[in-house]
Amino acid sequence: MPRSNIKTFRKGGLPIKVTIKEVAKHAGVSISTVSLAINKKERVSEELRQRVVKAIDELNYRPNGLARSLKSKKSKVIGLIIPDIVNPFFPLMVRGVGDTAKRFGYNIILCNTDGEVKEEATFLRLFEEKCVDGIIFTCAGRIKKSLSLLNELSIPKVILDRRLDDLSIPTVTVDNTKGAYMATCHLIGKGKQRILFISGPDQLQSSLDRLNGYQQALTENRLAVHPELITYGDFSFEGGQKALKDVIANKISFDAVFGANDMMTLGAMMVLSEFGLDIPGGIEVVGYDDILLASLFKPALTTVRQPAYEMGCEAVKMILRAIHSKKTWIPSKVFEPQLITRESSPGN
Amino acid sequence: MPRSNIKTFRKGGLPIKVTIKEVAKHAGVSISTVSLAINKKERVSEELRQRVVKAIDELNYRPNGLARSLKSKKSKVIGLIIPDIVNPFFPLMVRGVGDTAKRFGYNIILCNTDGEVKEEATFLRLFEEKCVDGIIFTCAGRIKKSLSLLNELSIPKVILDRRLDDLSIPTVTVDNTKGAYMATCHLIGKGKQRILFISGPDQLQSSLDRLNGYQQALTENRLAVHPELITYGDFSFEGGQKALKDVIANKISFDAVFGANDMMTLGAMMVLSEFGLDIPGGIEVVGYDDILLASLFKPALTTVRQPAYEMGCEAVKMILRAIHSKKTWIPSKVFEPQLITRESSPGN
DNA sequence: TTGAAAGCGCTAACAG
DNA sequence: CTGTTAGCGCTTTCAA
């Protein structure tokens, strides 16, 4: 009964994949029995099940996921769009997404937009064609721009690390306003009065929120918000360097620096050192994100930690909820930021 | 003729996806004409093509990739297995893979093994079920262990950043022996005689190769290979710290440090600073990889650069070659390492 | 409990 | 140039 040569070869030399049909024949049962044995084990008699298992094993059968998905309308794939995996903030988040997805039997297609909004459309279309079951999306620019694209799709989606005013799509975020508020208050508590704020790109809501938190902290502590102490960078190391050099060139005085992300802040710190300014003796510095680099740099950077890994995990759980419950509305999740004090601005 | 409500809704409220059938009806042609118009534009008269395009547009039709792939036996997906995206060496490589894949119309499924060899089997099986067109693989441990798994699959594959003795599977690597040789010679050239080598995990061929290069450089320069100067780490920052602390605790003297990767080397440098050892005045330090961190650290790290991004690109081109030409054998590619001299061990 | 058969959405012979 | 049709490999009614 069992054939001697397990694999059949076609001309090219590649082994032809074993199909459910051959398993059925080999086990002496019908196709549907094999399918049932695989998917609904209970509904097949023990004897036949055994025979099927044996056949599967002997033929080294692997169900064709494409056919399966085509039929079942479930691909067990989640599409993940992020700006750039090379940006040190994202790898941890991606790990969170990947690990959690795997835990629940899902896999991810990873796409980097590299900050190009038009790429988002391409990837979204791709996801539709690939029939992904859900989409986790971290947009590159203004969320508004991407929103219409997203809303066209009937695929469940979650927005990650980007806040949205309306509640049309669930989001996973950190309270950026609060994080910046905490950092600024910390600096104020250390007696700082002229805190330089290096903001991020103003298309990002996160940037605006952080700027807001900074201003709020100043105001609440009856400190003036000096426009010349608010500068902008592009979230890169070089951007931070440039921002600080400009400030220094303009002879604007400050007694502390708070950067809207760690990379810029580190860049700024580098310039501070170059100009012989002591950290934290002269200038205290606080960043935002808590990337690995922050703790390894000299001096180690005080920063506002975002739970990137957990955010990734949460996004997956949320998308799974959206996939399985047919509910229209899924509540968003806001994580708490956490101030990590290190050498660049020690705790009290 | 055109229906007024574009999308049909099923009970749940989700729009049903438009199929080729509906496009055909809407355009008043057969489904094969639609298919031809999409895939082989030349073979359809201009008039019908126009009508099809119009219908596709009006119905907002998106071909179902699953059905397509099932029929055509091409998924346009490449499976990528790496140890850990959080390891700073990999993101650039992944970008290279992702960007190049995208350029050629492919997409990637990303899987982290987290160093677990058994995970590799899971992902490989997954790839088979998902019918990926090719696999790019960076194994976690000994390549030998994973080799039998890989060879079972009839899917084209490329091994990335891992050297293989036999030529059964094409690889993309950097000449690790040469890189380590260059770094060691550089240090010797600066008059160093007792160069501490922090090796990586000895299951990895890359580690062994680098160790080899180190020894070769010493031997060729008539310097003794002192076993006590060879220590091991796990490629992590903490691993490097620990390795160096042990060496110091054992009162082993050295005048330079060469680490098998940047993270460990940075960790070692940290310990050096803690012990008040001047870099490069007292001890010179060289790393391996040239991760972003290396250039940003103080002092900036002299290191052997691996072209991670280009390696990722090359792996994709290679896998594409393997997919398209039915050739059994694809030549491997070996990149040249490059010594980048910075503050921790300046050039001459 | 098991099998026959329909069909998921698409591609590509093949026939006209 | 265009349409008819037979599957790709699987899941899932529906009957037996």
Side-chain angles (χ1 to χ4, degrees):
Chain A
M1 183 75 79
R3 298 180 321 194
S4 56
N5 67 328
I6 299 301
K7 290 182 182 174
T8 322
F9 286 80
R10 72 154 75 97
K11 273 175 290 176
L14 290 175
I16 288 177
K17 279 212 217 143
V18 176
T19 72
I20 196 172
K21 211 166 159 184
E22 301 170 64
V23 174
K25 194 187 293 175
H26 191 86
V29 299
S30 77
I31 292 181
S32 38
T33 301
V34 176
S35 179
L36 283 178
I38 292 173
N39 302 309
K40 321 258 157 95
K41 304 189 204 294
E42 330 73 46
R43 291 177 39 187
V44 176
S45 70
E46 184 56 21
E47 193 217 326
L48 284 202
R49 207 185 57 73
Q50 291 287 357
R51 268 172 37 206
V52 170
V53 168
K54 186 155 164 284
I56 286 177
D57 222 51
E58 285 176 3
L59 298 180
N60 195 24
Y61 167 69
R62 205 84 70 216
N64 181 321
L66 295 174
R68 239 181 186 176
S69 299
L70 177 60
K71 188 83 242 230
S72 65
K73 312 277 186 208
K74 290 165 175 42
S75 62
K76 293 283 183 176
V77 171
I78 291 171
L80 175 61
I81 295 181
I82 59 171
D84 180 13
I85 191 66
V86 173
N87 178 332
F89 175 68
F90 290 109
L92 249 190
M93 215 170 77
V94 172
R95 263 310 290 262
V97 171
D99 290 356
T100 310
K102 176 166 197 284
R103 197 148 70 80
F104 291 99
Y106 283 75
N107 300 97
I108 66 170
I109 295 187
L110 177 71
C111 298
N112 296 282
T113 56
D114 203 20
E116 303 286 339
V117 176
K118 66 178 173 193
E119 292 295 274
E120 295 177 351
T122 314
F123 290 132
L124 254 16
R125 172 159 311 141
L126 166 84
F127 286 163
E128 201 177 1
E129 297 192 357
K130 287 266 181 280
C131 303
V132 302
D133 292 340
I135 295 172
I136 297 177
F137 184 74
T138 302
C139 64
R142 283 188 194 294
I143 185 95
K144 298 284 176 197
K145 286 196 181 175
S146 320
L147 215 50
S148 64
L149 277 172
L150 278 172
N151 279 326
E152 271 181 20
L153 300 183
S154 58
I155 305 169
K157 39 205 160 295
V158 166
I159 291 174
L160 180 52
D161 195 42
R162 298 287 184 260
R163 193 163 68 77
L164 193 58
D165 285 328
D166 68 280
L167 300 173
S168 57
I169 303 176
T171 63
V172 176
T173 52
V174 183
D175 189 335
N176 282 301
T177 309
K178 186 167 177 183
Y181 176 87
M182 285 162 58
T184 311
C185 284
H186 164 80
L187 253 11
I188 294 171
K190 311 236 9 214
K192 302 300 179 182
Q193 306 236 0
R194 291 185 58 84
I195 303 167
L196 179 67
F197 181 62
I198 310 177
S199 180
D202 59 2
Q203 310 96 291
L204 284 179
Q205 187 60 46
S206 324
S207 295
L208 302 180
D209 289 347
R210 289 173 200 175
L211 176 55
N212 235 305
Y214 161 80
Q215 292 174 325
Q216 202 174 308
L218 291 180
T219 308
E220 282 188 15
N221 286 279
R222 293 163 209 278
L223 287 174
V225 175
H226 298 291
E228 78 271 19
L229 288 180
I230 298 174
T231 172
Y232 292 83
D234 61 357
F235 276 162
S236 75
F237 191 85
E238 293 76 12
Q241 288 181 304
K242 184 177 177 310
L244 211 81
K245 278 180 186 162
D246 287 353
V247 168
I248 291 177
N250 290 326
K251 301 194 196 306
I252 295 167
S253 71
F254 55 90
D255 50 15
V257 175
F258 172 37
N261 85 335
D262 282 347
M263 284 305 279
M264 285 196 306
T265 313
L266 259 13
M269 222 154 68
M270 190 77 121
V271 174
L272 253 21
S273 305
E274 282 167 18
F275 278 85
L277 293 162
D278 182 43
I279 306 171
I283 309 276
E284 296 201 7
V285 181
V286 177
Y288 208 108
D289 278 350
D290 195 26
I291 60 176
L292 176 64
L293 199 41
S295 59
L296 305 181
F297 217 76
K298 295 304 257 181
L301 182 63
T302 290
T303 190
V304 180
R305 189 175 112 83
Q306 305 205 71
Y309 186 85
E310 291 78 5
M311 288 167 72
C313 298
E314 183 62 32
V316 173
K317 289 182 194 154
M318 205 173 267
I319 202 79
L320 258 28
R321 220 171 296 146
I323 291 171
H324 295 126
S325 81
K326 294 291 174 198
K327 298 224 180 73
T328 330
W329 192 77
I330 304 282
S332 292
K333 166 96 182 182
V334 180
F335 280 89
E336 289 296 307
Q338 189 190 351
L339 185 72
I340 311 283
T341 51
R342 299 202 183 92
E343 297 159 11
S344 72
S345 179
N348 292 313
Chain B
M1 180 75 79
R3 296 183 322 198
S4 57
N5 66 328
I6 299 301
K7 290 182 183 175
T8 323
F9 286 80
R10 73 154 73 96
K11 272 174 290 175
L14 290 176
I16 288 177
K17 278 209 218 150
V18 177
T19 72
I20 196 172
K21 213 166 157 183
E22 301 168 66
V23 174
K25 193 187 294 175
H26 191 86
V29 298
S30 75
I31 59 175
S32 47
T33 301
V34 177
S35 178
L36 282 179
I38 293 173
N39 303 307
K40 321 257 157 92
K41 304 189 204 292
E42 329 73 47
R43 290 176 41 187
V44 176
S45 69
E46 184 56 21
E47 192 216 327
L48 285 202
R49 207 184 57 73
Q50 290 287 0
R51 262 162 56 196
V52 169
V53 168
K54 184 155 167 281
I56 287 177
D57 222 52
E58 286 177 2
L59 298 180
N60 195 25
Y61 167 70
R62 206 83 70 215
N64 182 320
L66 295 174
R68 238 181 185 174
S69 299
L70 177 61
K71 187 84 245 241
S72 65
K73 312 277 186 207
K74 291 167 174 41
S75 63
K76 293 285 183 172
V77 170
I78 291 171
L80 174 61
I81 296 182
I82 58 170
D84 179 13
I85 189 68
V86 173
N87 177 332
F89 175 68
F90 291 109
L92 249 190
M93 216 170 75
V94 172
R95 264 307 290 260
V97 171
D99 290 355
T100 311
K102 176 166 197 287
R103 196 147 71 81
F104 291 99
Y106 284 76
N107 301 97
I108 66 171
I109 295 187
L110 177 71
C111 298
N112 296 282
T113 56
D114 204 20
E116 304 286 339
V117 176
K118 66 177 176 198
E119 292 294 275
E120 295 176 351
T122 315
F123 290 132
L124 254 16
R125 172 159 312 139
L126 166 83
F127 287 163
E128 203 178 0
E129 298 194 356
K130 286 267 181 279
C131 303
V132 302
D133 292 339
I135 295 173
I136 296 177
F137 185 73
T138 302
C139 63
R142 280 187 196 293
I143 184 94
K144 299 283 175 197
K145 286 198 181 173
S146 319
L147 216 49
S148 65
L149 276 171
L150 278 173
N151 279 326
E152 272 181 20
L153 300 183
S154 59
I155 305 170
K157 40 203 160 295
V158 166
I159 291 174
L160 180 51
D161 196 41
R162 299 286 183 260
R163 194 163 68 76
L164 192 58
D165 284 329
D166 68 277
L167 300 174
S168 57
I169 302 176
T171 63
V172 176
T173 52
V174 183
D175 189 335
N176 282 300
T177 309
K178 184 166 177 182
Y181 176 88
M182 285 162 56
T184 312
C185 284
H186 163 81
L187 254 10
I188 294 171
K190 312 237 8 213
K192 303 300 178 181
Q193 307 236 359
R194 291 186 57 84
I195 303 167
L196 178 68
F197 181 62
I198 311 177
S199 181
D202 59 1
Q203 310 97 290
L204 285 179
Q205 187 61 44
S206 322
S207 296
L208 302 179
D209 289 347
R210 288 173 200 176
L211 176 55
N212 236 306
Y214 162 80
Q215 292 173 325
Q216 202 174 306
L218 291 180
T219 308
E220 282 188 15
N221 286 279
R222 296 162 208 278
L223 288 173
V225 175
H226 299 289
E228 77 271 19
L229 287 180
I230 298 174
T231 172
Y232 291 84
D234 60 358
F235 276 162
S236 75
F237 192 85
E238 293 76 13
Q241 289 181 303
K242 183 176 177 312
L244 210 82
K245 278 179 186 162
D246 287 353
V247 168
I248 291 177
N250 290 325
K251 299 195 197 307
I252 296 166
S253 72
F254 55 90
D255 51 15
V257 175
F258 173 36
N261 85 335
D262 282 347
M263 283 306 278
M264 288 196 303
T265 311
L266 260 12
M269 224 156 65
M270 190 78 121
V271 175
L272 252 22
S273 304
E274 282 167 18
F275 279 84
L277 293 163
D278 181 46
I279 306 170
I283 308 277
E284 296 201 8
V285 181
V286 177
Y288 207 108
D289 278 351
D290 195 26
I291 60 177
L292 177 63
L293 199 41
S295 59
L296 304 182
F297 217 75
K298 297 302 264 182
L301 183 63
T302 290
T303 190
V304 179
R305 188 175 114 82
Q306 304 205 72
Y309 186 85
E310 291 78 5
M311 289 168 71
C313 298
E314 184 61 32
V316 172
K317 289 182 194 154
M318 206 173 266
I319 202 79
L320 257 29
R321 221 171 294 146
I323 291 171
H324 295 126
S325 81
K326 295 292 172 199
K327 299 223 181 75
T328 330
W329 190 78
I330 304 282
S332 292
K333 165 96 183 185
V334 180
F335 281 89
E336 289 295 309
Q338 189 189 351
L339 184 72
I340 311 285
T341 51
R342 300 203 182 93
E343 297 159 10
S344 72
S345 180
N348 291 312

